[in-house]
Amino acid sequence: MPYQPRVAMLVPTPDYPEKWQPAFARKAAALTAAGLLVEQRVWTDPGDLADYDLVLALFSWGYQRDVAAWYALLDRLEAEGLPVANPVAVLRWNSDKAYLAELGAAGVAVVPTVEVAALDEAGLAAARAELGAEEVVVKPAISAGADGTHRLAPGTPIPADALGQRRLVQPLMQGILTGGEYSLFFFGGQFSHAIVKRPASGDFRVQEQFGGREESWEANDEAQGLAAAVLAAAPAPPVYARVDMVGDAAGKLHIIEVEMIEPSLFLHHAPDKGAAFGKAVYAAI
């Protein structure tokens, strides 16, 4: 019987509130079909990983809620020289949305972003003035699943969880309300598929838990070119990546987020149902 490479899939803690098992099963099925043996290890206490052919961070859900533990894990994986996908340098870079400023400095079109070290009314007013926008979105620099993300119209008080905290301030991009958020997926550097996610009526968040819905989308040349520029700017080639973008009032696309840690991959929208994903992970070993 041919050798099956062993993959340690990092997963949430047992008390993690979101239901992650169905999504895990879909991704694990694609990896198993590629000839990999997938085993779960809780990311906060994964134990000895030396015998695995690859450590896959794809289900380290909740890392944004225990940032110190997350960075400690990355330090450990790096110090032990373990094979990790995505590479530790990519995971660390992608953990903090300060990467948006780096991408912008490299000439990539990103959603205009102002970082405020300790958000208060004066800082919010200054950010609005710098952005030239009255209605804004504030979010943590380290976040996932729209945790701590708020839409603030003029006169809306700063939410308690954001007051005095480091926050990113962005204009509310009109394209997310009219067209939705576009996600492009890449495996081994190759484009796989794309979707558009639309928020529920009256909301701006496109995640499923907030009523968002998705459908397949034919990514145009503008979108694919913008995503390719993002991948080229990453500190190392990612094994898997999701690049999210939205349009401005004129329809020009801007990067709103890059997800190279634990993205939903929507493999059921992929023409090959995830075969390229499985092959890319196998090739990383």
Side-chain angles (χ1 to χ4, degrees):
M1 181 177 179
Y3 174 71
Q4 274 189 294
R6 296 175 66 210
V7 174
M9 182 90 88
L10 302 182
V11 300
T13 58
D15 60 347
Y16 187 73
E18 294 183 58
K19 191 174 182 180
W20 56 271
Q21 291 87 352
F24 174 90
R26 287 192 292 272
K27 292 184 177 71
L31 297 175
T32 300
L36 299 168
L37 183 62
V38 181
E39 300 176 19
Q40 299 179 22
R41 304 302 288 262
V42 175
W43 75 262
T44 54
D45 186 20
D48 186 4
L49 298 169
D51 290 337
Y52 287 95
D53 296 285
L54 187 70
V55 178
L56 192 59
L58 194 57
F59 267 89
S60 48
W61 288 17
Y63 75 90
Q64 78 280 7
R65 301 176 185 180
D66 195 346
V67 176
W70 171 246
Y71 281 131
L73 173 65
L74 296 184
D75 290 344
R76 177 201 157 182
L77 294 173
E78 192 170 54
E80 295 183 12
L82 297 173
V84 184
N86 278 319
V88 171
V90 172
L91 299 177
R92 185 176 283 114
W93 175 80
N94 195 220
S95 296
D96 191 307
K97 289 183 176 60
Y99 65 74
L100 289 172
E102 182 181 325
L103 291 174
V108 178
V110 299
V111 173
T113 304
V114 174
E115 181 175 327
V116 182
L119 191 66
D120 57 13
E121 292 297 345
L124 181 59
R128 279 190 165 114
E130 184 175 341
L131 294 168
E134 288 298 313
E135 190 162 20
V136 296
V137 173
V138 300
K139 62 182 65 172
I142 301 176
S143 66
D147 269 6
T149 299
H150 303 282
R151 175 180 175 178
L152 300 184
T156 304
I158 297 173
D161 68 309
L163 190 62
Q165 303 300 311
R166 177 190 175 211
R167 287 296 183 266
L168 304 182
V169 184
Q170 299 174 328
L172 177 67
M173 299 293 283
Q174 291 302 310
I176 205 165
L177 304 179
T178 58
E181 178 179 298
Y182 306 102
S183 293
L184 281 69
F185 302 86
F186 294 81
F187 304 130
Q190 300 300 309
F191 174 71
S192 169
H193 59 290
I195 64 170
V196 57
K197 297 172 285 186
R198 296 187 174 92
S201 178
D203 208 326
F204 70 103
R205 297 165 297 186
V206 298
Q207 289 79 10
E208 183 182 6
Q209 64 266 36
F210 301 113
R213 62 198 187 282
E214 92 278 346
E215 61 185 60
S216 295
W217 183 65
E218 289 291 330
N220 56 32
D221 290 343
E222 179 191 6
Q224 293 208 39
L226 184 56
V230 170
L231 298 187
V239 176
Y240 58 88
R242 191 188 81 208
V243 183
D244 295 339
M245 55 190 73
V246 296
D248 59 18
K252 180 182 177 182
L253 293 173
H254 295 68
I255 297 298
I256 192 169
E257 183 179 25
V258 183
E259 183 49 85
M260 299 180 179
I261 300 174
E262 36 81 270
S264 294
L265 297 177
F266 297 92
L267 295 179
H268 55 293
H269 287 285
D272 63 5
K273 304 305 178 186
F277 163 65
K279 290 176 182 176
V281 174
Y282 196 107
I285 297 174

